[in-house]
Amino acid sequence: AQSVTQPDIHITVSEGASLELRCNYSYGATPYLFWYVQSPGQGLQLLLKYFSGDTLVQGIKGFEAEFKRSQSSFNLRKPSVHWSDAAEYFCAVGPRDYKLSFGAGTTVTVRA
Amino acid sequence: NAGVTQTPKFRILKIGQSMTLQCAQDMNHNYMYWYRQDPGMGLKLIYYSVGAGITDKGEVPNGYNVSRSTTEDFPLRLELAAPSQTSVYFCASSNPGQAGTEAFFGQGTRLTVV
């Protein structure tokens, strides 16, 4: 069975500081991995995805994520956070991009 | 290009009432999904469809029904609303197999059952 764990429920970061969100997955085969962002009252928007190839993936809004098979992890990073990055972030795993399993989410608060 | 459109955005139901959550996409995607989102639980898959006339259960299908008569529409039906169905519901669509494809989400329907 596939599953995702996001260990951090809530992270507070200062504007301009770096951000790292953790994601650990369980999946029997080569996973398809995704990070989505949800702003308040909005649907989910895809930040980036990993299917194969280079394990460091670049996404939109300056985000990147690194796939580490040995650690079953797919952590999301941003070097310098902007106030507009305050949102909820979801990691997901699945075969291709249907029947995804989502983590419980990490809420990011950005302080001035 | 509207993407995935969900209606209504908000709804309050009484216990035992029924309703249909509407979802339409204009991207000609074959796959469509219904998720529910509860605080601290992430998104759980209710039902999905891989094409018109084909639907299947996800993780949490009890209390819900779906149909897919066209490629564009994927309504979710609640027959006898219960407080446990208070949640935010998201519809999504995708076309797995195409390079660079992703799941597109609607803006959600916030449902409260009282």
Side-chain angles (χ1 to χ4, degrees), chain A residues 15-95:
Chain A
E15 193 169 14
S18 63
L19 173 68
E20 181 167 14
L21 304 182
R22 295 183 291 164
C23 171
N24 294 100
Y25 69 90
S26 173
Y27 190 71
T30 300
Y32 288 72
L33 293 157
F34 307 82
W35 274 101
Y36 284 85
V37 61
Q38 183 182 30
S39 298
Q42 301 296 312
L44 279 71
Q45 180 184 21
L46 183 70
L47 282 176
L48 48 78
K49 59 191 175 187
Y50 172 78
F51 288 166
S52 64
D54 193 345
T55 56
L56 186 61
V57 181
Q58 301 297 321
I60 62 171
K61 305 186 180 187
F63 284 92
E64 65 178 26
E66 186 171 13
F67 170 60
K68 292 186 178 180
R69 185 186 300 275
S70 61
Q71 298 178 18
S72 297
S73 70
F74 189 56
N75 294 349
L76 181 72
R77 298 193 293 255
K78 185 168 184 177
S80 177
V81 169
H82 187 261
W83 65 265
S84 60
D85 294 322
E88 190 161 18
Y89 293 79
F90 293 94
C91 182
V93 66

Side-chain angles (χ1 to χ4, degrees), chain B residues 60-104:
Chain B
V60 290
N62 292 343
Y64 307 95
N65 279 298
V66 293
S67 59
R68 185 97 181 270
S69 56
T70 67
T71 299
E72 294 77 20
D73 300 298
F74 190 41
L76 177 72
R77 178 83 177 162
L78 283 71
E79 291 294 350
L80 291 171
S84 60
Q85 294 178 304
T86 293
S87 188
V88 181
Y89 293 84
F90 287 99
C91 179
S93 73
S94 71
N95 241 6
Q98 293 185 6
T101 191
E102 67 183 76
F104 292 82

